[in-house]
Amino acid sequence: MALQAAYSLLPSTVSIHKEGRFVASPKETTVTSFSFSNSLRADKISNRLTIKEQRRQSPRFSTSIRAQTVTATPPANEASPEQKKTQRKGTAVVTGASSGLGLATAKALADTGKWHVIMACRNFLKAEKAAKSVGMSKEDYTVMHLDLASLESVKQFVDNYRRTERPLDVLVCNAAVYQPTAKEPSFTAEGFELSVGTNHLGHFLLSRLLLDDLKKSDYPSKRMIIVGSITGNTNTLAGNVPPKANLGDLRGLASGLNGQNSSMIDGGEYDGAKAYKDSKVCNMLTMQELHRRYHEETGVTFASLYPGCIATTGLFREHIPLFRLLFPPFQKYITKGYVSEEEAGKRLAQVVSDPSLGKSGVYWSWNNNSSSFENQLSKEASDAEKAKKLWEVSEKLVGLA
Ligand code: NDP
Ligand code: PMR
């Protein structure tokens, strides 16, 4: 099978026991075991490994799903009582709005006529062109420069934003980089491994600095959203595809993540795919720590989400061409986890503005009918002690402590 061929070219491959049984640690997972054929044949994966099947096979999984709230959500462009209360447009900052999910979200929000989107992007011209290409009108967006791989740029962005004297009603931490084929780590301006430096540390500083601005907003529902992912959650099949996310005891992060001791959070050997998944665990832990520390005091809603597998975005730009060719059909027809950029953008736009998604501390997901529900995070991604430690170490690295 061609995806398998593409996948076998990856530095880290799925390790499968001889008898074809791939067993995830019962401690970490809700789905405790599932069967692979040795050749990972797509038809078998399809038959055995759909989420539906996981629910049927695992009593724990089905109990947890039953306990989750399934909310039928109206489209983001419907007027809601919450939005009617305000006279002015809401302002939402969306990082990485120059492509993929960020652009689709910016477009979905702009289309409602109720939002002004600040497209916080590292490539100003690309963002301008992208906004035009999807038909956003000038009065609905502003492009502002933000390079999350530089803490100085993050501070500069916050200063520039304050100078605009616009209120800040919603912050969406969406931008990310993924380097699955990199043999050696690359680093941010301050010398942190690039994926964790950009996806986690850049957003960590941004969210901490902009929290003050969110607090000041008089908008009826102030929200901060940090995009997470299924692949950081080892209670799912996708999260069990090696290399698995694992922050360990954070020793690599604590020692600076600069390649001198290690460029991985757990202190291990560099692996670009794992670094990305680790960064997503950091995103989901940070959202929960923000919720615990600030929700009550500030009234800000903190949320994360898995928008679905948007297999066509630029996220996979550094993957081998064969992977990029086969990944969309694999997700569309085999796992059925695929969503279009447009649909994913509507989902994130719901988390921004839908009154029914106003609960804080939630990791949102969508079922096959596109109904949102409160999903469960893996053991590691919901570990409150780890979240606290991550917070404290990250504060030091970005110069807040
Ligand atoms: P894209 O590559 O299309 O978008 C990523 C965005 O991040 C781009 O706009 C990119 O800018 C921007 N970006 C990258 N580095 C920086 C930086 N240093 N400073 C500022 N912006 C930067 O990928 P997606 O749309 O797929 O990813 C968006 C989010 O969705 C990510 O958080 C990802 O983890 C998450 N996600 C994606 C899934 C998927 O299946 N695609 C599944 C689950 C979650 P530029 O245009 O200049 O490259
Ligand atoms: Mg995965 C239900 C099964 C499912 C889902 C929803 C995803 C989502 N993936 C699933 C299953 C599998 N994937 C299986 C069985 C395999 C082995 C063939 C597999 C492989 C795979 C690879 C090599 N998948 C990947 C990759 C990537 O490089 C992507 C990645 O991990 O990026 C970090 C990826 C993804 N799969 C997903 C999603 C959403 C991704 C993109 C990851 C993300 O943005 O978090």
Side-chain angles (χ1 to χ4, degrees), residues 95-104 120-124 126-127 130 145-150 153 173-178 188 194 197-199 203 226-231 276 279-280 283 305-317 327 331 337 339 341 348:
T95 69
S98 50
S99 75
L101 178 60
L103 178 61
C121 298
R122 62 177 166 178
N123 184 334
F124 194 95
K126 182 179 175 186
H145 185 260
L146 168 65
D147 181 357
L148 287 155
S150 156
S153 171
C173 298
N174 161 77
V177 283
Y178 176 39
T188 64
L194 191 72
T198 305
N199 309 354
H203 278 135
I226 310 179
V227 178
S229 182
I230 194 169
T231 52
Y276 170 88
S279 77
K280 290 284 112 184
N283 288 154
L305 71 151
Y306 167 58
C309 186
I310 332 160
T312 51
T313 70
L315 194 68
F316 310 104
R317 66 188 95 182
F327 192 52
Q331 293 294 343
V339 283
E341 295 180 22
L348 180 44

Side-chain angles (χ1 to χ4, degrees), residues 221-240:
S221 180
K222 313 180 266 192
R223 300 183 186 182
M224 188 191 289
I225 299 148
I226 310 179
V227 178
S229 182
I230 194 169
T231 52
N233 278 296
T234 50
N235 58 341
T236 63
L237 169 58
N240 274 290

Side-chain angles (χ1 to χ4, degrees), residues 1 3-4 6-7 10 12 14 36 40 45 49-51 54 178 180 228-232 236-239 241-243 272-274 276-277 280 306 308-311 313 315-316 319 323 327 330-331 334-338:
M1 189 211 152
L3 185 85
Q4 184 201 339
Y7 190 56
L10 290 173
S12 324
V14 182
F36 276 68
L40 272 179
I45 292 168
L49 303 173
T50 59
I51 291 292
Q54 292 170 23
Y178 176 39
S229 182
I230 194 169
T231 52
T236 63
L237 169 58
V241 175
K274 181 175 183 297
Y276 170 88
K277 293 176 191 179
K280 290 284 112 184
Y306 167 58
C309 186
I310 332 160
T313 70
L315 194 68
F316 310 104
H319 229 311
F323 175 90
F327 192 52
F330 173 65
Q331 293 294 343
I334 312 294
T335 73
K336 315 258 196 255
Y338 173 86

